[in-house]
Amino acid sequence: MKLLLNLLRIIVGLLFIFSGLIKANDPLGLSYKMDEFFEVLHLTFLSPFSLVYSVTMNTFEIVAGVALLLGYRMRIFSVLLLLLIALFTFLTAYALFSGTIRECGCFGDCIKLSATETFWKDVALTVMILVIFVYRKRIEPLWGNKTSNSLMILSLAGALGLQWYTLAHLPIVDCLGYKVGNNIPEKMKLPPGAHPDVFETVLVYKKDGVVKEFTSENYPWSDSTWVFVDRRDKLVKEGDGEPPIKDFILTDLDGANQTQAILSEPQPVYLFLVQNVDKAGSGWDKKMEALQKQFQEGKIYIYGVTASSKEEIAAFSTAHGLKFPFVQMDGTAIKTAGRSNPCLILLEKGTIKGKWHYHDIP
C-alpha cells in the first residue's frame, strides 16, 4: 500500500503541476474556455470574474501538485483535490454527453484532447485521488515543516508570478495558430488527411398544424399547401480536424472583404488588434505615434482590427490620434490572435514576423 500510495502521489502530483503550468502560460485562454462553459450552463453572471477564476484554478493545481509530492497537509489537500476532480469530471462529462463543447481546455491550447479522452482521463484521476483520500493518513511528509512550508510558498509565488508575467506581456510559449513564423493563409487550411464537418440543409415546413423537416432534395416545392417556416444547417458527420486559424476575415467598415489584399501585400503590414475599443489598455500611444510616422512616409501599412462599431472606432481613433484605417473581424478570432487588448502583429506576405503585447510595442 505504501508503494502504491507513493506511486499515485507522484503520478497525480506531476500531472496537476504539468496541467497548471501549461494553463498558467496562457490564463486568458482558460478564462475564455470558462466563459464558454458559463454560457452553456446559463451562468453568464460569472463571466466577469472568469480571469480571476482562471488564475486561482491554475495556481491551485500547481500548489496542490507540489503538496502531493511533498506529502504536505494531506488531510486538507486530499479533500480539496477530490472536490476539484469531482468538478472537472462533471464538466467533462457534460461536454462529452451534451455535445455543446468540443474541448475542455484541460491542458490549454498546447495539448488538445477530445471530449472523450478528457472525460476518461478525469475518471482515471478520480479513482487515483479516491485512493489517496481514503489512505491520506498513511502519507507522511517528505521533509520537515520548515522546508515544506518554504517550498509551498515558492510554488505559490512561482504560479502567481508566471501568470502575472504572461498577462503583462504575452504567453511564453505560443501554442495557437498565430505564433510568430506561421503563415496565416497556410494555417487557414485543414491539416493533411483531415476532413471538415459535413452539414445538411434542413428546410422546415408547416401544413395543417404539422411541422415537418425536409432536405433540399425532397422539400415540397410544388405543393403550395406547405408553408415555409425555417432553414438551418444540421451536422450529419463530425469532421476529424479543423484548421489552426479560423474566421480570419477582415472587412472594411462598409463590409467589403479585404483579407486577401492585406495578406498578399508585399510591404510590411502591422495589424493593431483591439478586440473592444472600450476596454483597451493604456500606455501605448507614443509607441504607436512613432510607428504611424513610418506609415505616413509610405514605408509600412497599419490596419486597426476590431470587433467594435464604426462609431466606436471613430471616437477611439480621435481620442488616441490614430490616423490609420480600421477593419473589422470577429471578436473571438481577435482574442485568439492576440492575448492582449491591444496587441500588435507584424505580417510580411501573410507570415507573422512579430507579435507584441501593448506593453512591449517596439
Side-chain angles (χ1 to χ4, degrees):
M1 181 55 67
K2 186 176 181 181
L3 179 63
L4 176 63
L5 281 174
N6 286 333
L7 181 63
L8 293 181
R9 263 175 52 198
I10 293 170
I11 293 173
V12 177
L14 289 177
L15 191 59
F16 267 82
I17 293 171
F18 179 69
S19 172
L21 285 174
I22 286 181
K23 294 196 291 288
N25 174 67
D26 183 16
L28 274 174
L30 179 60
S31 73
Y32 298 150
K33 181 57 67 173
M34 286 183 168
D35 288 337
E36 192 177 340
F37 272 102
F38 292 153
E39 185 175 349
V40 299
L41 293 171
H42 306 292
L43 299 173
T44 50
F45 64 91
L46 296 175
S47 292
F49 312 102
S50 60
L51 182 57
V52 175
Y53 300 147
S54 171
V55 171
T56 302
M57 182 175 291
N58 295 337
T59 302
F60 177 74
E61 283 194 47
I62 295 169
V63 171
V66 172
L68 265 181
L69 294 179
L70 296 177
Y72 182 83
R73 305 206 175 191
M74 291 310 303
R75 292 187 181 185
I76 296 174
F77 277 99
S78 61
V79 174
L80 293 176
L81 280 169
L82 190 59
L83 292 173
L84 185 64
I85 197 62
L87 173 64
F88 284 173
T89 305
F90 164 75
L91 292 176
T92 54
Y94 183 87
L96 174 61
F97 296 113
S98 71
T100 53
I101 297 174
R102 301 184 84 172
E103 298 170 358
C104 77
C106 298
F107 290 114
D109 291 293
C110 293
I111 300 176
K112 295 198 174 186
L113 300 178
S114 68
T116 303
E117 292 169 336
T118 303
F119 172 70
W120 288 111
K121 181 263 296 179
D122 283 346
V123 169
L125 271 174
T126 300
V127 173
M128 290 189 277
I129 293 173
L130 270 172
V131 174
I132 292 171
F133 172 77
V134 171
Y135 295 100
R136 60 192 181 280
K137 294 181 181 179
R138 297 192 185 187
I139 299 175
E140 298 178 359
L142 198 59
W143 285 301
N145 283 339
K146 189 174 181 180
T147 302
S148 295
N149 287 336
S150 298
L151 291 172
M152 291 297 294
I153 291 171
L154 281 174
S155 68
L156 175 62
L160 291 173
L162 172 61
Q163 292 178 92
W164 169 84
Y165 179 86
T166 56
L167 288 171
H169 301 281
L170 285 177
I172 297 170
V173 180
D174 192 343
C175 297
L176 296 166
Y178 294 91
K179 70 179 181 180
V180 175
N182 280 1
N183 180 270
I184 291 179
E186 287 298 318
K187 292 298 177 180
M188 291 170 70
K189 300 175 183 176
L190 276 172
H195 301 90
D197 291 340
V198 177
F199 292 90
E200 179 182 71
T201 299
V202 175
L203 302 170
V204 182
Y205 281 81
K206 186 176 182 180
K207 177 181 178 181
D208 299 331
V210 177
V211 177
K212 188 175 179 181
E213 293 183 354
F214 298 90
T215 68
S216 56
E217 297 176 353
N218 67 356
Y219 73 99
W221 61 273
S222 60
D223 188 346
S224 60
T225 59
W226 285 95
V227 179
F228 175 79
V229 176
D230 191 16
R231 176 198 178 280
R232 59 176 179 267
D233 293 326
K234 180 180 180 182
L235 180 66
V236 294
K237 184 178 180 182
E238 189 171 326
D240 54 6
E242 58 184 20
I245 292 179
K246 297 178 291 184
D247 302 323
F248 188 86
I249 302 171
L250 304 170
T251 60
D252 63 25
L253 301 186
D254 294 319
N257 194 320
Q258 301 295 328
T259 310
Q260 187 57 38
I262 292 174
L263 291 179
S264 59
E265 172 57 49
Q267 273 193 305
V269 176
Y270 285 88
L271 299 181
F272 186 62
L273 308 179
V274 193
Q275 184 203 3
N276 186 325
V277 297
D278 292 333
K279 297 180 180 179
S282 58
W284 46 265
D285 297 64
K286 288 188 177 180
K287 297 176 180 179
M288 288 305 296
E289 281 177 19
L291 205 59
Q292 280 193 126
K293 288 182 181 179
Q294 297 184 51
F295 166 66
Q296 291 168 333
E297 292 168 0
K299 296 178 181 178
I300 61 172
Y301 283 96
I302 307 176
Y303 293 94
V305 181
T306 184
S308 298
S309 68
K310 188 185 294 188
E311 293 74 19
E312 290 170 329
I313 293 169
F316 181 73
S317 296
T318 301
H320 294 277
L322 304 180
K323 297 178 175 61
F324 50 81
F326 268 77
V327 292
Q328 292 174 312
M329 188 165 76
D330 177 72
T332 300
I334 294 174
K335 67 185 183 182
T336 301
R339 291 295 205 231
S340 69
N341 186 34
C343 181
L344 186 68
I345 290 180
L346 170 60
L347 297 179
E348 290 185 9
K349 293 184 179 180
T351 297
I352 299 172
K353 294 295 185 179
K355 186 195 290 193
W356 300 273
H357 190 287
Y358 64 87
H359 288 154
D360 304 316
I361 292 174

